[in-house]
Amino acid sequence: MQVFGYSSPRFSPYDDDRADHSAPTGDEGPWRAPRATGPLDARLALPGSKSLTNRELVLAALADGPSLLRRPLHSRDSALMIAALRALGVGIDEVPGDGAYGPDLRVTPATELTGSTSIDVGLAGTVMRFLPPVAALALGPVAFDGDEAARRRPMRTTIDSLRALGVDVNDDGRGALPFSLWGSGAVRGGEVAIDASASSQFVSGLLLAAPRFAEGLTLRHTGERLPSMPHIEMTIAALEARGVTVSSPDEGVWVVAPGPIAARDVDIEPDLSNAAPFLIAAVVAGGTVAIEGWPETTTQVGADLIEILPRFGATVRREGDALVVDGGEGLLGGRSMPGVDLDLSRGGELAPALVALVALADSPSRITGIEHLRGHETDRLAALADDLTRAGGTVTELDDGLALEPRALHGADWGAFEDHRMAHAGAVIGLAVDGIDIDDIGATSKTLPEFPELWHRLVASARAGSGSA
């Protein structure tokens, strides 16, 4: 393929170098994970779902009129998505709302998406996989790059699928970031076969833009497995709420007809996956943790915690709009917790916090179905094994997960590996183990910038007994 002049990862139509690809560093020095001093009594409201916010931003940008996103997430991942859409000509304005974590967002689609720009994906999988099909609808060149760690994340499926749709893409044969494409203002669409075994985001990215393709899309997954199916279901539900019909005539096949995407005002649910470490804290420290605004029905995989946490001896109930997890006396109160065998192929993003929990169990555990986590912000299986081994644990990497043996853990440096969920896992271990020093708590800004403050308030609820955190 011809090498375009704009294929530099820092391409700018203004011939300057304004793009900042650096990740946030957070506070200088390690963050000592606070130790729980007794049963918790905490009630929390969490920011909006990253998965829902970034899907709704894309759909609003492609819609047939303005949309309002109420109580969206404001984090590094959502900021990168907003900046990317603005670079393509979409109007996104902050407007007053009633959310505790920032303003609402008014999204006004562009009359015509414009290229001749560069997009910084940071380390956000939703940006690097959702935005290329959108950029292909723009007119002109668009260059994609991100953090150094983003260049190690799987992207070949996105690149190959765009080529199959007739989009001119230059990646110098890497199958990874950085790459660039030439948008012609339209995408033909039609039938495409992909292997999305590495990430369900490859499917979601194509489905989100598919209604704007001239022939729509028939998408066929050819791999043996497809992780995180709830995320694809979330994408389909978001499309259908905007008047787009997505049919699935066979397993692993999705059909989207061409047509408009309706403008819509949307209430963004709290991020239920970010709730995982907070709810798990009740199992470790004992007492109760309540998450406000828990939806009655949802496509978020974090809802699986309702079925998972009772396997660790917790009770789960609803109180009004809140989900409450009661850990009883908790592990710190002397309750034993046997190990478990868990298949997390539906919700691998819950794995780091749950692996931290089973590392505190008193018999062996196996967490499987999570081979795809090797291609996330870091190789999460290797990172968890490394951190837990350094803290005195015994962890064996399996082909598709981890096996853990019960061991008394001790204080240690805990690597975040630029991964928010690795930092969450370290905080869970620190509830029960003195001296867990997380090297980069700023990694949590990816999806929950307020994590350090909320975590300290959670732990302080045991001392204060205030019933509110």
Side-chain angles (χ1 to χ4, degrees), residues 46-51 53-54 57 70-79 82 101 103 105 268-269 271 274 445-450:
L46 296 182
S49 160
K50 179 264 294 184
S51 295
T53 296
N54 278 1
L57 280 167
R70 301 187 187 97
R71 295 178 291 281
L73 175 68
H74 292 275
S75 73
R76 188 179 188 227
D77 273 21
S78 60
I82 290 168
Y101 292 97
L105 297 173
I268 303 296
E269 300 170 2
D271 195 310
N274 277 342
S445 68
K446 177 179 172 65
T447 58
L448 183 54
E450 301 83 3

PDB file of all heavy atoms in Angstrom, residues 46-51 53-54 57 70-79 82 101 103 105 268-269 271 274 445-450:
ATOM      1  N   LEU A  46     -21.415   6.563  42.744  1.00  0.00           N
ATOM      2  CA  LEU A  46     -20.283   6.494  41.830  1.00  0.00           C
ATOM      3  C   LEU A  46     -20.582   7.228  40.530  1.00  0.00           C
ATOM      4  O   LEU A  46     -21.744   7.362  40.137  1.00  0.00           O
ATOM      5  CB  LEU A  46     -19.943   5.033  41.517  1.00  0.00           C
ATOM      6  CG  LEU A  46     -19.467   4.181  42.687  1.00  0.00           C
ATOM      7  CD1 LEU A  46     -19.135   2.772  42.207  1.00  0.00           C
ATOM      8  CD2 LEU A  46     -18.262   4.801  43.381  1.00  0.00           C
ATOM      9  N   PRO A  47     -19.535   7.704  39.846  1.00  0.00           N
ATOM     10  CA  PRO A  47     -19.729   8.351  38.538  1.00  0.00           C
ATOM     11  C   PRO A  47     -20.282   7.380  37.500  1.00  0.00           C
ATOM     12  O   PRO A  47     -20.351   6.164  37.720  1.00  0.00           O
ATOM     13  CB  PRO A  47     -18.315   8.816  38.165  1.00  0.00           C
ATOM     14  CG  PRO A  47     -17.562   8.843  39.447  1.00  0.00           C
ATOM     15  CD  PRO A  47     -18.138   7.748  40.282  1.00  0.00           C
ATOM     16  N   GLY A  48     -20.634   7.937  36.342  1.00  0.00           N
ATOM     17  CA  GLY A  48     -21.271   7.166  35.284  1.00  0.00           C
ATOM     18  C   GLY A  48     -20.378   6.110  34.674  1.00  0.00           C
ATOM     19  O   GLY A  48     -19.143   6.142  34.781  1.00  0.00           O
ATOM     20  N   SER A  49     -21.028   5.174  34.000  1.00  0.00           N
ATOM     21  CA  SER A  49     -20.338   4.064  33.346  1.00  0.00           C
ATOM     22  C   SER A  49     -19.485   4.558  32.181  1.00  0.00           C
ATOM     23  O   SER A  49     -19.969   5.281  31.308  1.00  0.00           O
ATOM     24  CB  SER A  49     -21.371   3.057  32.834  1.00  0.00           C
ATOM     25  OG  SER A  49     -20.829   2.222  31.837  1.00  0.00           O
ATOM     26  N   LYS A  50     -18.228   4.115  32.164  1.00  0.00           N
ATOM     27  CA  LYS A  50     -17.354   4.431  31.033  1.00  0.00           C
ATOM     28  C   LYS A  50     -17.872   3.778  29.759  1.00  0.00           C
ATOM     29  O   LYS A  50     -17.918   4.404  28.696  1.00  0.00           O
ATOM     30  CB  LYS A  50     -15.927   3.965  31.328  1.00  0.00           C
ATOM     31  CG  LYS A  50     -14.933   4.218  30.200  1.00  0.00           C
ATOM     32  CD  LYS A  50     -14.721   3.002  29.293  1.00  0.00           C
ATOM     33  CE  LYS A  50     -14.058   1.872  30.046  1.00  0.00           C
ATOM     34  NZ  LYS A  50     -13.755   0.720  29.152  1.00  0.00           N
ATOM     35  N   SER A  51     -18.268   2.528  29.848  1.00  0.00           N
ATOM     36  CA  SER A  51     -18.724   1.799  28.665  1.00  0.00           C
ATOM     37  C   SER A  51     -19.951   2.461  28.058  1.00  0.00           C
ATOM     38  O   SER A  51     -20.053   2.607  26.833  1.00  0.00           O
ATOM     39  CB  SER A  51     -19.032   0.348  29.027  1.00  0.00           C
ATOM     40  OG  SER A  51     -17.865  -0.329  29.434  1.00  0.00           O
ATOM     41  N   THR A  53     -21.010   5.670  28.645  1.00  0.00           N
ATOM     42  CA  THR A  53     -20.710   7.049  28.241  1.00  0.00           C
ATOM     43  C   THR A  53     -20.076   7.085  26.863  1.00  0.00           C
ATOM     44  O   THR A  53     -20.496   7.856  25.981  1.00  0.00           O
ATOM     45  CB  THR A  53     -19.782   7.721  29.262  1.00  0.00           C
ATOM     46  OG1 THR A  53     -20.457   7.835  30.521  1.00  0.00           O
ATOM     47  CG2 THR A  53     -19.370   9.122  28.803  1.00  0.00           C
ATOM     48  N   ASN A  54     -19.064   6.259  26.628  1.00  0.00           N
ATOM     49  CA  ASN A  54     -18.367   6.327  25.345  1.00  0.00           C
ATOM     50  C   ASN A  54     -19.196   5.758  24.199  1.00  0.00           C
ATOM     51  O   ASN A  54     -19.090   6.224  23.060  1.00  0.00           O
ATOM     52  CB  ASN A  54     -16.999   5.662  25.451  1.00  0.00           C
ATOM     53  CG  ASN A  54     -15.967   6.600  26.050  1.00  0.00           C
ATOM     54  OD1 ASN A  54     -16.288   7.740  26.405  1.00  0.00           O
ATOM     55  ND2 ASN A  54     -14.734   6.157  26.159  1.00  0.00           N
ATOM     56  N   LEU A  57     -21.652   8.634  23.469  1.00  0.00           N
ATOM     57  CA  LEU A  57     -20.970   9.735  22.786  1.00  0.00           C
ATOM     58  C   LEU A  57     -20.851   9.450  21.284  1.00  0.00           C
ATOM     59  O   LEU A  57     -21.107  10.325  20.450  1.00  0.00           O
ATOM     60  CB  LEU A  57     -19.590   9.971  23.389  1.00  0.00           C
ATOM     61  CG  LEU A  57     -19.551  10.766  24.693  1.00  0.00           C
ATOM     62  CD1 LEU A  57     -18.180  10.659  25.350  1.00  0.00           C
ATOM     63  CD2 LEU A  57     -19.900  12.237  24.445  1.00  0.00           C
ATOM     64  N   ARG A  70     -26.955  12.774  30.329  1.00  0.00           N
ATOM     65  CA  ARG A  70     -27.062  13.200  31.720  1.00  0.00           C
ATOM     66  C   ARG A  70     -26.181  12.323  32.608  1.00  0.00           C
ATOM     67  O   ARG A  70     -26.164  11.110  32.462  1.00  0.00           O
ATOM     68  CB  ARG A  70     -28.508  13.126  32.204  1.00  0.00           C
ATOM     69  CG  ARG A  70     -29.500  13.969  31.404  1.00  0.00           C
ATOM     70  CD  ARG A  70     -30.857  13.948  32.089  1.00  0.00           C
ATOM     71  NE  ARG A  70     -31.885  14.600  31.286  1.00  0.00           N
ATOM     72  CZ  ARG A  70     -32.729  13.962  30.489  1.00  0.00           C
ATOM     73  NH1 ARG A  70     -32.641  12.637  30.371  1.00  0.00           N
ATOM     74  NH2 ARG A  70     -33.640  14.609  29.812  1.00  0.00           N
ATOM     75  N   ARG A  71     -25.481  12.955  33.522  1.00  0.00           N
ATOM     76  CA  ARG A  71     -24.599  12.292  34.488  1.00  0.00           C
ATOM     77  C   ARG A  71     -23.577  11.370  33.805  1.00  0.00           C
ATOM     78  O   ARG A  71     -23.408  10.217  34.193  1.00  0.00           O
ATOM     79  CB  ARG A  71     -25.411  11.528  35.540  1.00  0.00           C
ATOM     80  CG  ARG A  71     -26.244  12.438  36.421  1.00  0.00           C
ATOM     81  CD  ARG A  71     -27.071  11.681  37.430  1.00  0.00           C
ATOM     82  NE  ARG A  71     -28.139  10.921  36.796  1.00  0.00           N
ATOM     83  CZ  ARG A  71     -29.284  11.438  36.371  1.00  0.00           C
ATOM     84  NH1 ARG A  71     -29.527  12.723  36.518  1.00  0.00           N
ATOM     85  NH2 ARG A  71     -30.205  10.676  35.808  1.00  0.00           N
ATOM     86  N   PRO A  72     -22.894  11.875  32.771  1.00  0.00           N
ATOM     87  CA  PRO A  72     -21.873  11.054  32.107  1.00  0.00           C
ATOM     88  C   PRO A  72     -20.628  10.939  32.977  1.00  0.00           C
ATOM     89  O   PRO A  72     -20.449  11.690  33.952  1.00  0.00           O
ATOM     90  CB  PRO A  72     -21.573  11.854  30.841  1.00  0.00           C
ATOM     91  CG  PRO A  72     -21.762  13.285  31.283  1.00  0.00           C
ATOM     92  CD  PRO A  72     -22.935  13.251  32.232  1.00  0.00           C
ATOM     93  N   LEU A  73     -19.782  10.014  32.600  1.00  0.00           N
ATOM     94  CA  LEU A  73     -18.477   9.906  33.252  1.00  0.00           C
ATOM     95  C   LEU A  73     -17.565  11.023  32.764  1.00  0.00           C
ATOM     96  O   LEU A  73     -17.522  11.339  31.573  1.00  0.00           O
ATOM     97  CB  LEU A  73     -17.844   8.554  32.912  1.00  0.00           C
ATOM     98  CG  LEU A  73     -16.421   8.345  33.428  1.00  0.00           C
ATOM     99  CD1 LEU A  73     -16.392   8.256  34.947  1.00  0.00           C
ATOM    100  CD2 LEU A  73     -15.795   7.096  32.811  1.00  0.00           C
ATOM    101  N   HIS A  74     -16.830  11.612  33.697  1.00  0.00           N
ATOM    102  CA  HIS A  74     -15.757  12.551  33.364  1.00  0.00           C
ATOM    103  C   HIS A  74     -14.455  11.921  33.868  1.00  0.00           C
ATOM    104  O   HIS A  74     -14.169  11.914  35.060  1.00  0.00           O
ATOM    105  CB  HIS A  74     -16.000  13.913  34.011  1.00  0.00           C
ATOM    106  CG  HIS A  74     -17.180  14.639  33.444  1.00  0.00           C
ATOM    107  ND1 HIS A  74     -17.092  15.426  32.313  1.00  0.00           N
ATOM    108  CD2 HIS A  74     -18.485  14.665  33.833  1.00  0.00           C
ATOM    109  CE1 HIS A  74     -18.287  15.930  32.036  1.00  0.00           C
ATOM    110  NE2 HIS A  74     -19.150  15.483  32.938  1.00  0.00           N
ATOM    111  N   SER A  75     -13.694  11.366  32.933  1.00  0.00           N
ATOM    112  CA  SER A  75     -12.454  10.670  33.273  1.00  0.00           C
ATOM    113  C   SER A  75     -11.520  10.784  32.086  1.00  0.00           C
ATOM    114  O   SER A  75     -11.847  11.395  31.067  1.00  0.00           O
ATOM    115  CB  SER A  75     -12.724   9.192  33.575  1.00  0.00           C
ATOM    116  OG  SER A  75     -13.020   8.495  32.381  1.00  0.00           O
ATOM    117  N   ARG A  76     -10.353  10.174  32.184  1.00  0.00           N
ATOM    118  CA  ARG A  76      -9.426  10.247  31.060  1.00  0.00           C
ATOM    119  C   ARG A  76     -10.013   9.580  29.811  1.00  0.00           C
ATOM    120  O   ARG A  76      -9.921  10.121  28.708  1.00  0.00           O
ATOM    121  CB  ARG A  76      -8.088   9.596  31.416  1.00  0.00           C
ATOM    122  CG  ARG A  76      -7.051   9.852  30.305  1.00  0.00           C
ATOM    123  CD  ARG A  76      -5.696   9.278  30.583  1.00  0.00           C
ATOM    124  NE  ARG A  76      -4.770   9.744  29.550  1.00  0.00           N
ATOM    125  CZ  ARG A  76      -3.927   8.969  28.901  1.00  0.00           C
ATOM    126  NH1 ARG A  76      -3.858   7.679  29.167  1.00  0.00           N
ATOM    127  NH2 ARG A  76      -3.119   9.472  27.976  1.00  0.00           N
ATOM    128  N   ASP A  77     -10.627   8.405  29.954  1.00  0.00           N
ATOM    129  CA  ASP A  77     -11.170   7.713  28.786  1.00  0.00           C
ATOM    130  C   ASP A  77     -12.261   8.528  28.104  1.00  0.00           C
ATOM    131  O   ASP A  77     -12.323   8.610  26.869  1.00  0.00           O
ATOM    132  CB  ASP A  77     -11.716   6.340  29.189  1.00  0.00           C
ATOM    133  CG  ASP A  77     -10.645   5.265  29.160  1.00  0.00           C
ATOM    134  OD1 ASP A  77      -9.453   5.620  29.226  1.00  0.00           O
ATOM    135  OD2 ASP A  77     -11.006   4.075  29.085  1.00  0.00           O
ATOM    136  N   SER A  78     -13.166   9.121  28.890  1.00  0.00           N
ATOM    137  CA  SER A  78     -14.232   9.904  28.281  1.00  0.00           C
ATOM    138  C   SER A  78     -13.691  11.208  27.702  1.00  0.00           C
ATOM    139  O   SER A  78     -14.159  11.672  26.650  1.00  0.00           O
ATOM    140  CB  SER A  78     -15.351  10.181  29.285  1.00  0.00           C
ATOM    141  OG  SER A  78     -14.880  10.908  30.404  1.00  0.00           O
ATOM    142  N   ALA A  79     -12.691  11.799  28.354  1.00  0.00           N
ATOM    143  CA  ALA A  79     -12.089  13.025  27.816  1.00  0.00           C
ATOM    144  C   ALA A  79     -11.409  12.762  26.480  1.00  0.00           C
ATOM    145  O   ALA A  79     -11.471  13.589  25.556  1.00  0.00           O
ATOM    146  CB  ALA A  79     -11.086  13.600  28.820  1.00  0.00           C
ATOM    147  N   ILE A  82     -14.183  12.492  23.873  1.00  0.00           N
ATOM    148  CA  ILE A  82     -14.722  13.810  23.557  1.00  0.00           C
ATOM    149  C   ILE A  82     -13.766  14.573  22.654  1.00  0.00           C
ATOM    150  O   ILE A  82     -14.165  15.166  21.638  1.00  0.00           O
ATOM    151  CB  ILE A  82     -15.007  14.589  24.851  1.00  0.00           C
ATOM    152  CG1 ILE A  82     -16.199  13.965  25.589  1.00  0.00           C
ATOM    153  CG2 ILE A  82     -15.271  16.066  24.564  1.00  0.00           C
ATOM    154  CD1 ILE A  82     -16.382  14.471  27.006  1.00  0.00           C
ATOM    155  N   TYR A 101     -20.698  14.479  39.846  1.00  0.00           N
ATOM    156  CA  TYR A 101     -19.331  14.331  39.352  1.00  0.00           C
ATOM    157  C   TYR A 101     -19.057  15.119  38.077  1.00  0.00           C
ATOM    158  O   TYR A 101     -18.113  14.816  37.364  1.00  0.00           O
ATOM    159  CB  TYR A 101     -19.023  12.850  39.133  1.00  0.00           C
ATOM    160  CG  TYR A 101     -18.947  12.065  40.419  1.00  0.00           C
ATOM    161  CD1 TYR A 101     -20.051  11.347  40.874  1.00  0.00           C
ATOM    162  CD2 TYR A 101     -17.796  12.066  41.193  1.00  0.00           C
ATOM    163  CE1 TYR A 101     -19.993  10.632  42.064  1.00  0.00           C
ATOM    164  CE2 TYR A 101     -17.732  11.359  42.383  1.00  0.00           C
ATOM    165  CZ  TYR A 101     -18.827  10.646  42.816  1.00  0.00           C
ATOM    166  OH  TYR A 101     -18.769   9.941  43.993  1.00  0.00           O
ATOM    167  N   PRO A 103     -20.646  18.148  34.837  1.00  0.00           N
ATOM    168  CA  PRO A 103     -21.784  18.598  34.045  1.00  0.00           C
ATOM    169  C   PRO A 103     -22.295  17.535  33.081  1.00  0.00           C
ATOM    170  O   PRO A 103     -21.634  16.531  32.822  1.00  0.00           O
ATOM    171  CB  PRO A 103     -21.217  19.797  33.281  1.00  0.00           C
ATOM    172  CG  PRO A 103     -19.752  19.504  33.165  1.00  0.00           C
ATOM    173  CD  PRO A 103     -19.376  18.809  34.442  1.00  0.00           C
ATOM    174  N   LEU A 105     -23.571  16.608  29.103  1.00  0.00           N
ATOM    175  CA  LEU A 105     -22.948  16.864  27.807  1.00  0.00           C
ATOM    176  C   LEU A 105     -24.014  16.996  26.721  1.00  0.00           C
ATOM    177  O   LEU A 105     -24.858  16.108  26.566  1.00  0.00           O
ATOM    178  CB  LEU A 105     -21.978  15.734  27.439  1.00  0.00           C
ATOM    179  CG  LEU A 105     -20.764  15.545  28.362  1.00  0.00           C
ATOM    180  CD1 LEU A 105     -20.007  14.284  27.972  1.00  0.00           C
ATOM    181  CD2 LEU A 105     -19.847  16.751  28.311  1.00  0.00           C
ATOM    182  N   ILE A 268     -27.085   8.265  32.027  1.00  0.00           N
ATOM    183  CA  ILE A 268     -25.984   7.297  32.122  1.00  0.00           C
ATOM    184  C   ILE A 268     -26.000   6.629  33.500  1.00  0.00           C
ATOM    185  O   ILE A 268     -26.006   7.313  34.527  1.00  0.00           O
ATOM    186  CB  ILE A 268     -24.628   7.982  31.880  1.00  0.00           C
ATOM    187  CG1 ILE A 268     -24.609   8.689  30.518  1.00  0.00           C
ATOM    188  CG2 ILE A 268     -23.497   6.960  31.974  1.00  0.00           C
ATOM    189  CD1 ILE A 268     -24.745   7.785  29.327  1.00  0.00           C
ATOM    190  N   GLU A 269     -26.007   5.309  33.515  1.00  0.00           N
ATOM    191  CA  GLU A 269     -25.991   4.568  34.784  1.00  0.00           C
ATOM    192  C   GLU A 269     -24.636   4.696  35.478  1.00  0.00           C
ATOM    193  O   GLU A 269     -23.610   4.908  34.826  1.00  0.00           O
ATOM    194  CB  GLU A 269     -26.251   3.080  34.518  1.00  0.00           C
ATOM    195  CG  GLU A 269     -27.573   2.765  33.866  1.00  0.00           C
ATOM    196  CD  GLU A 269     -27.649   1.314  33.415  1.00  0.00           C
ATOM    197  OE1 GLU A 269     -26.680   0.562  33.646  1.00  0.00           O
ATOM    198  OE2 GLU A 269     -28.688   0.926  32.826  1.00  0.00           O
ATOM    199  N   ASP A 271     -21.185   3.362  37.070  1.00  0.00           N
ATOM    200  CA  ASP A 271     -20.311   2.310  36.555  1.00  0.00           C
ATOM    201  C   ASP A 271     -20.287   1.141  37.536  1.00  0.00           C
ATOM    202  O   ASP A 271     -19.668   1.212  38.601  1.00  0.00           O
ATOM    203  CB  ASP A 271     -18.899   2.864  36.338  1.00  0.00           C
ATOM    204  CG  ASP A 271     -18.049   1.950  35.484  1.00  0.00           C
ATOM    205  OD1 ASP A 271     -17.991   0.745  35.785  1.00  0.00           O
ATOM    206  OD2 ASP A 271     -17.447   2.427  34.502  1.00  0.00           O
ATOM    207  N   ASN A 274     -16.785  -0.439  38.192  1.00  0.00           N
ATOM    208  CA  ASN A 274     -16.012   0.324  39.171  1.00  0.00           C
ATOM    209  C   ASN A 274     -16.530   0.122  40.585  1.00  0.00           C
ATOM    210  O   ASN A 274     -15.831   0.401  41.557  1.00  0.00           O
ATOM    211  CB  ASN A 274     -16.034   1.813  38.815  1.00  0.00           C
ATOM    212  CG  ASN A 274     -14.992   2.181  37.781  1.00  0.00           C
ATOM    213  OD1 ASN A 274     -14.038   1.437  37.553  1.00  0.00           O
ATOM    214  ND2 ASN A 274     -15.183   3.309  37.130  1.00  0.00           N
ATOM    215  N   SER A 445      -7.419   7.268  37.173  1.00  0.00           N
ATOM    216  CA  SER A 445      -8.084   8.378  36.480  1.00  0.00           C
ATOM    217  C   SER A 445      -8.662   7.952  35.140  1.00  0.00           C
ATOM    218  O   SER A 445      -9.478   8.661  34.554  1.00  0.00           O
ATOM    219  CB  SER A 445      -7.104   9.539  36.268  1.00  0.00           C
ATOM    220  OG  SER A 445      -6.090   9.187  35.340  1.00  0.00           O
ATOM    221  N   LYS A 446      -8.276   6.796  34.664  1.00  0.00           N
ATOM    222  CA  LYS A 446      -8.794   6.282  33.389  1.00  0.00           C
ATOM    223  C   LYS A 446     -10.311   6.199  33.410  1.00  0.00           C
ATOM    224  O   LYS A 446     -10.981   6.579  32.436  1.00  0.00           O
ATOM    225  CB  LYS A 446      -8.175   4.911  33.118  1.00  0.00           C
ATOM    226  CG  LYS A 446      -8.675   4.226  31.854  1.00  0.00           C
ATOM    227  CD  LYS A 446      -7.980   2.896  31.670  1.00  0.00           C
ATOM    228  CE  LYS A 446      -8.586   2.112  30.526  1.00  0.00           C
ATOM    229  NZ  LYS A 446      -8.394   2.769  29.220  1.00  0.00           N
ATOM    230  N   THR A 447     -10.883   5.689  34.491  1.00  0.00           N
ATOM    231  CA  THR A 447     -12.342   5.540  34.567  1.00  0.00           C
ATOM    232  C   THR A 447     -12.946   6.054  35.871  1.00  0.00           C
ATOM    233  O   THR A 447     -14.174   6.160  35.955  1.00  0.00           O
ATOM    234  CB  THR A 447     -12.755   4.060  34.420  1.00  0.00           C
ATOM    235  OG1 THR A 447     -12.119   3.288  35.444  1.00  0.00           O
ATOM    236  CG2 THR A 447     -12.364   3.516  33.054  1.00  0.00           C
ATOM    237  N   LEU A 448     -12.124   6.364  36.877  1.00  0.00           N
ATOM    238  CA  LEU A 448     -12.657   6.826  38.153  1.00  0.00           C
ATOM    239  C   LEU A 448     -11.622   7.717  38.839  1.00  0.00           C
ATOM    240  O   LEU A 448     -10.918   7.294  39.762  1.00  0.00           O
ATOM    241  CB  LEU A 448     -13.016   5.624  39.044  1.00  0.00           C
ATOM    242  CG  LEU A 448     -13.663   5.916  40.402  1.00  0.00           C
ATOM    243  CD1 LEU A 448     -14.896   6.797  40.259  1.00  0.00           C
ATOM    244  CD2 LEU A 448     -14.003   4.615  41.125  1.00  0.00           C
ATOM    245  N   PRO A 449     -11.514   8.980  38.399  1.00  0.00           N
ATOM    246  CA  PRO A 449     -10.491   9.870  38.968  1.00  0.00           C
ATOM    247  C   PRO A 449     -10.634  10.051  40.471  1.00  0.00           C
ATOM    248  O   PRO A 449      -9.640  10.338  41.162  1.00  0.00           O
ATOM    249  CB  PRO A 449     -10.731  11.190  38.235  1.00  0.00           C
ATOM    250  CG  PRO A 449     -11.444  10.818  36.976  1.00  0.00           C
ATOM    251  CD  PRO A 449     -12.284   9.626  37.320  1.00  0.00           C
ATOM    252  N   GLU A 450     -11.832   9.886  40.998  1.00  0.00           N
ATOM    253  CA  GLU A 450     -12.083  10.117  42.421  1.00  0.00           C
ATOM    254  C   GLU A 450     -11.772   8.894  43.277  1.00  0.00           C
ATOM    255  O   GLU A 450     -12.029   8.897  44.491  1.00  0.00           O
ATOM    256  CB  GLU A 450     -13.551  10.518  42.629  1.00  0.00           C
ATOM    257  CG  GLU A 450     -13.981  11.771  41.881  1.00  0.00           C
ATOM    258  CD  GLU A 450     -14.368  11.525  40.424  1.00  0.00           C
ATOM    259  OE1 GLU A 450     -14.350  10.339  39.998  1.00  0.00           O
ATOM    260  OE2 GLU A 450     -14.669  12.503  39.720  1.00  0.00           O
TER     261      GLU A 450
END
